[in-house]
Amino acid sequence: MQKLYLSGNEAIAYGLIEAGIKFISGYPGTPSSEIIPTAQKIIKEKGIKAFIDWAVNEKVAYEIAYAASLCGIKAAVTMKQVGLNVAMDPFINSAYVGTDSAMVVISVDDPGPHSSQTEQDSRFFAMGAKIPVFDPSTIQEAYEFAKKAVELSEKYSIPVMLRSSTRVSHGRADVKMEQLMPLDSIKVNFKTLKDWEKKLWRYAATPRQRLMLHNKLNRIISEIESLNELKFFFNGPLLLISSGAVFSYLYELIEEYELQDKVTLAKVDMPYPLKNFDFSNFQRVITIEESTPVIELQLCTEGRRNGIVPKEGELTIEVCEDILEKIGLIKREKNFFSPPLKRPSLCPGCGHRIALYEVKRVFGKKAIYNGDIGCYTLALNFNVTDTVLCMGASISFGFGMKKAFSLAEKQQDIVAIIGDSTFFHSGIPPLIDSIHYKVPFLIVILDNKSVAMTGNQKTLSDDKSSLGEITVPICIEDVVKGIGVKFVETVDPYDFENSIKILKEAKKYLKEKAEPAVIIFRHLCINTKEGLELNPKYRVKISHELCKGCKVCLIEFECPAIEFKEEENKAKINDPLCIGCGCCIHICPKKAIVLLE
Amino acid sequence: MKIVILGKGGQGVIFFSRIIAQAAINRGLSVCSTEIKGMAKKGGTVEIQMKIGQGMCGLVKKGSADLVILLSDDLIDYAKSFGNNVFTFKNDEIQAALEKVSMRFINTFLLGVFVKRAKFFDSEDFIKILDEENRKSFLKGYEYVQS
Ligand code: SF4
Ligand code: SF4
Ligand code: SF4
């Protein structure tokens, strides 16, 4: 036994590898992104042979890992909760077809949401797909449940979900671990000539056979359900049921307010599938869970549906206190006010900022800017993003809106803004439609050769895998031209004159040729070591005399290294924050921002 | 013990939390914490809530922290919403760190200052887990407080 101070995601990685998982795929997404890098680190250190790396999107990641599990290798796939939406097709299908080894689906939820588009509950989707789901309450459990999920999946030959959440995945604790690393060799088995017919009906099932598979799945679920027990703590007449991180908050509050003989707390390790329990000896039964009534619906208790538990927002400890107060268990003395924190902005010197400033300069404020998921969503702060929906939607929105306006015979400039990784993830299909239907709008691809927002994971333009194997770099220009786009230009956005020139050409092309145009702005993310080292370094100053305090540099450009001194009515460079990229010299209408020497 | 550590990216919030956790674990205490990093990388707020020797989750309720370590002065109001015992470094201490040790060891110098002045932890707990160079810098910080 060893104790390590691990994050929930790190603990999950250890649990998976210790349980014999040898194949992990996934797509980065906060708060799930650290599982794959940790698993890579472990196999490197321990000399374990395995495939662990990122895929182009969650659907592909799911199918890659699932195929490995059908060949007898224990496999897992990681994603954030909205990534599960992308993987929904194979996810639901694989429950019917089942596995031949373990297949663990790790989906990390983000109630709040802290860094996501929705507060959706992956447990609810697991229930919809009839896939059992574990819901760890602590970091220790994240480690243990990862192993349990592998065991359960292996035992019943169906996929099993491990659902985590921001608080568990990004929490840290001392974790007791076995650290027994399986070094067994990998064995595969799929197409056996003998008896192949007997197996084949599952892998390529017809609708009739699907019905039989569904029946088989139902039988497996009933059996798992019958063995799924609750754990009870304390012994009061009021029963509170919970799972996940919220359970740990309730446990702490019951101890803090000494409610041990007023409340019984039931813990659900596996929120689906649940059988019926006899709760007749309790006065009241209330489920407090995040963020959809999954347990509540199955056990038919009070909770969200009768308004005791809020229908949106994270169930923080403070919200759990509110709930206990509402049901008359406690009285609180005071509420604490917490001031809002500063909104985030792009890093000083980020290539996205200058690129999007240039786009705005040429296409103007009246253009519609359809944004996408990535750091560049923050261009919202300086008015170069009007919509953000989900991965890849910038380009589909460009198509849909341009068509809508042209049906009404109204001229409207439209710009889709998408990062390199998001483009590969789901920007290519809508670009195919856009070129096919000749829809004239500008597609701006911001290529910083990094999945920056989620912690700088590798991208498809790298020539090495995360484990150092040679890969074929995918060239965005080739992809775009291959689809049939004729206007394709690449420029470093730091090159201001050239960028403006190309943007003007694109604008002209859209008008004259009435087909989509693509501009690739390529500049490394300066939040990486390489990107920062290669970045130009100037000394920049704002002239006290020339600055007229118009705030254009703040409102239209928003570099965090430019501050405003209200007393003096002047802008000023905050030297420790400034990385000396020199981009801001193009912004000031009074030419007050200048390079030194 | 409930601790909150607040600051901006790159100010050592993560360093402080990891080293305090390690010291506590070496003493046989349980540690759980939660990390909230804002979306902005540079200059974004980093917040760690931590429980030592108690609790199941790292979350610290507003108004209940035994100690708030604040590394960025502009977050003072936010810091106070967790508790009144807010520890900040004085200007002369930061200046001393910049002068007396090289960039790489500023964090351990300040850790020394913190351990001495906050009187929350035993210096031995940290001396044991630091490598030689860091230990030297830690002790410089520790001794600086007396003078
Ligand atoms: S992490 Fe990279 S892409 Fe994201 S804001 Fe910072 S510099 Fe820009
Ligand atoms: S530096 Fe230029 S843009 Fe910024 S406030 Fe002064 S005059 Fe306006
Ligand atoms: S040079 Fe200008 S744009 Fe670049 S980081 Fe400094 S202040 Fe920001």
Side-chain angles (χ1 to χ4, degrees):
Chain A
M1 268 307 178
Q2 207 192 340
K3 250 186 173 185
L4 289 179
Y5 184 53
L6 297 179
S7 74
N9 281 344
E10 289 167 350
I12 290 171
Y14 273 95
L16 293 176
I17 302 292
E18 282 185 26
I21 295 278
K22 297 245 180 344
F23 202 113
I24 310 179
S25 189
Y27 187 79
T30 312
S32 72
S33 312
E34 297 82 7
I35 302 169
I36 284 189
T38 309
Q40 285 167 337
K41 203 184 90 199
I42 302 169
I43 63 162
K44 257 194 236 168
E45 274 171 18
K46 310 279 172 181
I48 298 171
K49 191 171 179 190
F51 175 84
I52 300 175
D53 222 322
W54 301 112
V56 66
N57 64 33
E58 292 86 354
K59 177 183 190 291
V60 175
Y62 194 100
E63 289 158 353
I64 292 175
Y66 178 54
S69 89
L70 292 180
C71 296
I73 299 180
K74 290 182 191 169
V77 60
T78 78
M79 59 196 70
K80 72 183 293 179
Q81 86 286 36
V82 288
L84 184 63
N85 303 345
V86 178
M88 198 53 71
D89 207 353
F91 178 66
I92 295 181
N93 273 300
S94 63
Y96 279 33
V97 178
T99 67
D100 289 85
S101 183
M103 171 71 185
V104 175
V105 187
I106 297 141
S107 181
V108 188
D109 291 348
D110 185 29
H114 294 273
S115 49
S116 307
Q117 303 103 291
T118 69
E119 294 195 292
Q120 65 189 72
D121 185 339
S122 296
R123 303 174 312 157
F124 191 67
F125 294 91
M127 181 160 86
K130 299 192 179 171
I131 286 178
V133 52
F134 284 98
D135 192 10
S137 299
T138 61
I139 318 294
Q140 182 71 39
E141 279 189 350
Y143 163 76
E144 285 164 10
F145 287 8
K147 291 178 150 191
K148 280 193 180 179
V150 177
E151 274 165 34
L152 191 77
S153 172
E154 177 107 61
K155 182 169 172 202
Y156 290 100
S157 295
I158 55 167
V160 171
M161 181 188 279
L162 174 66
R163 178 261 201 159
S164 183
S165 61
T166 305
R167 296 300 177 175
V168 171
S169 278
H170 284 181
R172 248 171 215 283
D174 48 315
V175 179
K176 284 192 262 340
M177 302 197 302
E178 289 173 41
Q179 287 258 22
L180 292 173
M181 294 294 169
L183 294 165
D184 53 310
S185 63
I186 294 176
K187 291 186 196 69
V188 290
N189 179 27
F190 185 69
K191 196 164 179 178
T192 42
L193 289 179
K194 215 179 99 200
D195 292 339
W196 177 238
E197 290 298 316
K198 269 193 212 151
K199 283 175 88 183
L200 177 67
W201 77 275
R202 260 177 71 209
Y203 301 127
T206 60
R208 236 197 93 68
Q209 289 161 337
R210 292 264 165 176
L211 181 68
M212 289 155 72
L213 286 170
H214 190 183
N215 177 269
K216 186 170 160 232
L217 175 61
N218 284 332
R219 276 183 283 130
I220 293 171
I221 289 295
S222 305
E223 191 179 330
I224 296 173
E225 188 183 279
S226 69
L227 299 169
N228 189 9
E229 298 295 339
L230 309 184
K231 292 177 186 158
F232 292 90
F233 301 85
F234 316 116
N235 39 37
L238 173 74
L239 178 65
L240 299 181
I241 306 175
S242 190
S243 78
V246 180
F247 167 82
S248 66
Y249 311 160
L250 292 169
Y251 191 99
E252 285 191 359
L253 288 171
I254 291 168
E255 288 197 324
E256 185 188 329
Y257 287 97
E258 296 176 355
L259 301 172
Q260 289 93 334
D261 53 6
K262 295 205 175 101
V263 172
T264 298
L265 180 63
K267 180 179 191 317
V268 184
D269 287 347
M270 197 197 294
Y272 174 83
L274 284 172
K275 63 185 166 200
N276 279 322
F277 292 91
D278 177 14
F279 295 136
S280 55
N281 48 346
F282 291 101
Q283 281 169 2
R284 242 181 126 173
V285 186
I286 303 167
T287 304
I288 306 175
E289 62 187 321
E290 238 167 17
S291 51
T292 302
V294 171
I295 301 170
E296 184 182 324
L297 282 169
Q298 290 176 89
L299 300 184
C300 223
T301 73
E302 297 182 65
R304 275 210 157 77
R305 290 170 306 158
N306 65 338
I308 293 174
V309 180
K311 289 197 170 64
E312 65 280 309
E314 185 183 5
L315 299 184
T316 58
I317 298 203
E318 284 89 353
V319 174
C320 289
E321 265 181 317
D322 288 343
I323 296 168
L324 296 184
E325 196 163 23
K326 201 185 265 175
I327 46 187
L329 283 168
I330 62 170
K331 263 208 129 39
R332 275 200 290 177
E333 288 108 58
K334 58 174 177 180
N335 279 305
F336 292 90
F337 160 79
S338 147
L341 294 173
K342 200 178 153 275
R343 69 178 179 185
S345 32
L346 294 168
C347 299
C350 175
H352 296 343
R353 174 183 293 104
I354 184 68
L356 295 176
Y357 174 82
E358 288 156 355
V359 174
K360 178 172 62 171
R361 184 101 145 212
V362 173
F363 280 79
K365 288 203 173 159
K366 283 200 185 129
I368 296 174
Y369 297 102
N370 296 126
D372 219 306
I373 311 289
C375 286
Y376 46 88
T377 305
L378 297 171
L380 196 61
N381 296 353
F382 52 98
N383 317 315
V384 205
T385 286
D386 298 312
T387 66
V388 180
L389 187 72
C390 59
M391 296 286 282
S394 57
I395 301 182
S396 336
F397 266 39
F399 181 136
M401 290 194 178
K402 185 72 201 177
K403 258 280 171 274
F405 275 90
S406 65
L407 283 176
E409 287 168 32
K410 273 189 87 174
Q411 152 60 20
Q412 173 66 51
D413 285 333
I414 297 205
V415 181
I417 301 160
I418 190 165
D420 50 340
S421 192
T422 309
F423 176 69
F424 286 127
H425 179 285
S426 39
I428 298 172
L431 184 60
I432 292 176
D433 269 343
S434 308
I435 190 79
H436 181 65
Y437 288 103
K438 283 169 69 74
V439 188
F441 63 103
L442 176 66
I443 295 103
V444 167
I445 303 178
L446 301 167
D447 182 14
N448 58 5
K449 299 199 176 258
S450 178
V451 192
M453 188 172 67
T454 51
N456 296 106
Q457 287 79 14
K458 75 170 261 291
T459 70
L460 289 159
S461 54
D462 289 3
D463 55 8
K464 279 203 194 71
S465 74
S466 314
L467 290 170
E469 281 163 9
I470 307 279
T471 54
V472 177
I474 309 296
C475 168
I476 299 179
E477 284 86 338
D478 287 352
V479 173
V480 174
K481 284 179 192 157
I483 292 171
V485 181
K486 286 172 216 96
F487 186 101
V488 184
E489 292 287 344
T490 304
V491 64
D492 182 340
Y494 272 42
D495 181 348
F496 189 79
E497 272 77 43
N498 237 332
S499 300
I500 296 287
K501 191 178 130 241
I502 290 171
L503 279 158
K504 284 183 176 158
E505 282 166 19
K507 201 173 177 186
K508 198 164 147 237
Y509 177 89
L510 291 172
K511 212 168 154 198
E512 287 168 3
K513 297 282 188 300
E515 271 190 34
V518 171
I519 301 179
I520 299 156
F521 285 100
R522 185 163 288 139
H523 194 91
L524 293 185
C525 166
I526 51 93
N527 197 39
T528 61
K529 199 165 158 269
E530 197 196 357
L532 191 58
E533 272 167 17
L534 292 175
N535 219 52
K537 277 175 197 59
Y538 303 101
R539 286 185 53 217
V540 180
K541 205 192 119 166
I542 299 182
S543 150
H544 201 82
E545 295 74 53
L546 294 177
C547 174
K548 295 285 170 274
C550 68
K551 293 193 180 175
V552 163
C553 55
L554 295 148
I555 296 161
E556 302 299 339
F557 190 63
E558 214 217 17
C559 175
I562 305 180
E563 296 176 342
F564 199 76
K565 300 271 169 224
E566 294 290 347
E567 329 73 74
E568 303 168 36
N569 195 35
K570 304 276 176 197
K572 199 176 163 289
I573 307 268
N574 178 331
D575 286 323
L577 282 182
C578 171
I579 69 154
C581 70
C583 293
C584 50
I585 61 162
H586 305 290
I587 314 307
C588 174
K590 304 279 177 250
K591 302 256 177 291
I593 312 182
V594 289
L595 295 183
L596 286 175
E597 288 110 63
Chain B
M1 189 194 311
K2 297 178 195 155
I3 303 179
V4 175
I5 312 174
L6 283 175
K8 302 278 173 66
Q11 278 186 325
V13 175
I14 305 277
F15 164 81
F16 268 83
S17 73
R18 301 275 160 94
I19 200 111
I20 290 172
Q22 202 51 55
I25 289 170
N26 286 5
R27 274 202 169 206
L29 294 168
S30 71
V31 178
C32 36
S33 66
T34 174
E35 253 171 57
I36 304 153
K37 285 183 271 184
M39 244 172 83
K41 315 291 188 303
K42 279 204 156 73
T45 311
V46 185
E47 172 181 340
I48 306 258
Q49 306 177 2
M50 185 183 270
K51 287 197 190 115
I52 297 177
Q54 66 179 106
M56 281 180 95
C57 72
L59 262 69
V60 174
K61 277 196 308 183
K62 293 275 152 62
S64 80
D66 298 300
L67 171 69
V68 183
I69 306 172
L70 178 64
L71 303 178
S72 186
D73 291 341
D74 57 331
L75 297 170
I76 181 74
D77 291 338
Y78 188 62
K80 282 190 176 150
S81 71
F82 285 102
N84 291 325
N85 186 15
V86 180
F87 178 95
T88 50
F89 290 103
K90 298 176 189 153
N91 279 339
D92 66 289
E93 290 164 345
I94 294 166
Q95 210 48 45
L98 289 167
E99 282 161 20
K100 290 184 199 286
V101 294
S102 62
M103 233 19 202
R104 276 173 53 215
F105 299 112
I106 287 184
N107 277 335
T108 35
F109 183 97
L110 290 175
L111 180 70
V113 171
F114 161 73
V115 170
K116 182 75 175 269
R117 197 149 61 74
K119 299 194 188 75
F120 246 83
F121 299 95
D122 192 342
S123 62
E124 276 306 310
D125 291 344
F126 294 95
I127 290 170
K128 264 187 261 169
I129 52 178
L130 293 171
D131 62 18
E132 203 178 317
E133 289 294 306
N134 276 302
R135 195 181 307 143
K136 273 191 208 154
S137 150
F138 173 85
L139 287 171
K140 277 186 197 164
Y142 191 79
E143 277 147 22
Y144 176 80
V145 178
Q146 278 174 323
S147 53

